[in-house]
């Protein structure tokens, strides 16, 4: 058997993940023939097929599954050696692969990227937006350095750093503006619009309403918060959204937004990374920058602010009390 190369292992991993030669080649920034040739040489060197070729899709053989587990472990170790060298430099530099959940990414990412770039021009930031289970999987496999998710994740392999806390707001048709916010029991009787399965925000909303996952006819799913808010504006139902999303998502929708009475539903957003990561020190620094970005957004009033019971329709209003709080920042203004 010929010596295996790191390039072959990376091409194998890409093809195993994407199940398609074209998409795998694109992910590796090489031509499809070049990737195909390396995979063929790898299989010939091993003396056994790794993939079963279909017309539009490829899948791992039994041997390929076993080979893949070892290959991913090797690649993860190689990446950690590179991280160890970066950590020895003692400053933020090189590649940073950061995952972010969809209910945070559109609202916080622009500020995060700007602040990280300002902190270190030598930082090469790669962002991945997807749901929490996928982020945790990719973090475990070494394909991400850190991820911004809702806490807790309750996974002993990950370090958790809380960043900020925010409340959930009720979005309902503008015709209902001024009415008291319904409690969990009343929400259970309404047509509740939620994000599709896989989003942690969906599970948090269901938990607040003390509802179990219901059949499709009782709950309507959307792929994004924007879709949910527009559906509410069309009079289809009501939904819950995180505070940081309200200013953006309700800007062009005829909806009313209301705070709940105590105890108000809320979530804690934090950053997680592997406990074994050599970059732990740098990632703590990144977490501090992200926390500062959230603090700056709050201080500049970029998030919506409400007085209890107030509502608004389609435009932002500034009120004395914010429902967006940064964790671990005692110097925040008490507006």
């Amino acid at each position: 058997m010929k010596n295996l190369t790191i390039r072959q292992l990376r091409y194998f991993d890409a093809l195993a993940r994407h199940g398609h030669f074209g998409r795998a080649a694109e992910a590796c920034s090489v031509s499809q023939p070049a990737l195909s040739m390396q995979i063929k040489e790898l299989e010939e060197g091993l003396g056994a097929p790794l993939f079963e070729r279909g017309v539009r899709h490829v899948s791992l053989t039994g041997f390929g599954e076993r080979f893949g587990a070892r290959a991913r472990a090797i690649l993860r170790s190689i990446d950690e050696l590179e991280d160890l060298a970066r950590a020895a430099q003692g400053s933020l530099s090189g590649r940073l692969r950061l995952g972010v959940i969809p209910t945070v990414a559109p609202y916080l990412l622009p500020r995060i990227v700007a602040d990280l770039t300002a902190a270190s021009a030598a930082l090469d930031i790669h962002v991945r937006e997807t749901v929490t289970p996928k982020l945790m999987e990719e973090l475990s496999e070494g394909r991400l350095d850190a991820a911004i998710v809702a806490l807790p994740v309750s996974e002993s392999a990950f370090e958790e750093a809380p960043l900020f806390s925010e409340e959930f707001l009720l979005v309902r048709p503008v015709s209902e503006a001024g009415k008291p916010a319904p409690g969990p029991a009343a929400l259970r009787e309404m047509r509740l619009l939620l994000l599709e399965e896989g989003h942690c925000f969906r599970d948090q909303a269901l938990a607040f309403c003390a509802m179990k996952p219901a059949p499709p006819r009782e709950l309507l799913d959307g792929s994004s918060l924007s879709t949910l808010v527009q559906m509410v504006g069309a009079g289809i139902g009501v939904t819950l959204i995180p505070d940081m999303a309200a200013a953006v998502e309700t800007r062009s929708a005829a909806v009313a937004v209301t705070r709940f009475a105590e105890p108000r539903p809320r979530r804690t957003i934090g950053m997680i990374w592997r406990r074994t990561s050599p970059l732990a020190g740098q990632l703590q620094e990144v977490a501090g920058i992200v926390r500062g970005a959230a603090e700056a957004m709050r201080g500049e009033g970029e998030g919506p602010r409400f007085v209890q019971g107030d509502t608004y329709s389609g435009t932002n209003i500034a009120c004395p009390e914010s429902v967006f709080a940064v964790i671990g920042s005692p110097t925040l203004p008490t507006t």
Side-chain angles (χ1 to χ4, degrees):
M1 183 183 72
K2 297 180 181 179
N3 292 331
L4 303 180
T5 67
I6 295 175
R7 176 186 298 175
Q8 288 174 336
L9 294 182
R10 293 207 183 278
Y11 288 1
F12 163 83
D13 181 58
L15 185 55
R17 285 188 285 111
H18 292 279
H20 187 275
F21 277 96
R23 290 193 291 272
E26 183 179 356
C28 295
S29 300
V30 298
S31 67
Q32 183 172 329
L35 184 138
S36 298
M37 182 180 67
Q38 289 293 323
I39 295 296
K40 181 179 180 182
E41 289 182 1
L42 177 61
E43 290 179 319
E44 289 176 349
L46 294 169
L50 294 166
F51 295 95
E52 180 179 339
R53 275 79 167 169
V55 177
R56 296 183 177 85
H57 186 79
V58 297
S59 57
L60 289 169
T61 62
F63 171 66
E65 292 279 2
R66 297 190 297 275
F67 180 86
R70 297 293 183 91
R72 284 189 291 273
I74 292 170
L75 291 174
R76 185 163 58 248
S77 296
I78 292 172
D79 288 340
E80 288 182 351
L81 285 175
E82 295 175 354
D83 292 342
L84 189 63
R86 290 165 55 197
Q89 298 174 10
S91 61
L92 287 175
S93 63
R95 181 186 61 182
L96 173 64
R97 301 167 298 176
L98 182 65
V100 190
I101 55 175
T103 55
V104 168
Y107 321 109
L108 194 58
L109 260 182
R111 176 59 71 103
I112 291 175
V113 172
D115 287 3
L116 286 173
T117 302
S120 174
L123 203 57
D124 181 19
I125 305 169
H126 296 250
V127 175
R128 165 82 161 129
E129 178 186 349
T130 190
V131 295
T132 300
K134 189 66 176 176
L135 291 177
M136 292 176 64
E137 175 188 336
E138 295 181 9
L139 192 58
S140 295
E141 294 177 353
R143 286 187 272 144
L144 289 174
D145 298 311
I148 297 175
V149 299
L151 299 182
V153 295
S154 302
E155 174 55 62
S156 60
F158 297 146
E159 187 73 33
E160 299 183 3
L163 299 174
F164 60 88
S165 176
E166 63 175 344
E167 294 184 8
F168 301 166
L169 308 176
L170 175 67
V171 182
R172 50 188 173 177
V174 70
S175 60
E176 299 182 23
K179 295 181 179 179
L187 276 176
R188 290 196 295 270
E189 303 302 320
M190 298 179 178
R191 177 176 282 184
L192 185 61
L193 312 180
L194 298 172
L195 291 173
E196 59 193 1
E197 290 188 12
H199 290 268
C200 58
F201 190 77
R202 171 193 177 93
D203 299 331
Q204 293 160 347
L206 287 172
F208 171 65
C209 300
M211 296 172 66
K212 296 180 179 179
R217 63 183 178 83
E218 296 181 28
L219 298 177
L220 297 179
D221 296 345
S223 60
S224 68
L225 294 176
S226 179
T227 298
L228 297 182
V229 172
Q230 293 300 324
M231 291 169 70
V232 172
I236 294 177
V238 301
T239 193
L240 277 64
I241 62 173
D243 173 42
M244 71 161 57
V248 173
E249 302 302 350
T250 62
R251 188 171 296 153
S252 60
V255 296
V257 183
T258 310
R259 292 178 66 180
F260 288 98
E262 295 286 2
R264 298 168 184 156
R266 64 170 52 245
R267 67 176 180 175
T268 297
I269 298 298
M271 199 170 92
I272 62 173
W273 58 86
R274 296 182 303 280
R275 291 186 182 275
T276 58
S277 174
L279 295 175
Q282 282 84 347
L283 293 176
Q284 285 281 8
E285 186 177 349
V286 169
I289 293 173
V290 175
R291 192 178 293 113
E295 179 177 351
M297 287 181 64
R298 178 184 185 273
E300 294 169 6
E302 293 183 15
R305 297 166 180 265
F306 300 92
V307 174
Q308 184 171 353
D310 277 5
T311 62
Y312 72 98
S313 170
T315 57
N316 298 329
I317 58 173
C319 294
E321 184 180 352
S322 174
V323 293
F324 182 51
V326 178
I327 295 174
S329 301
T331 58
L332 284 178
T334 55
T335 54

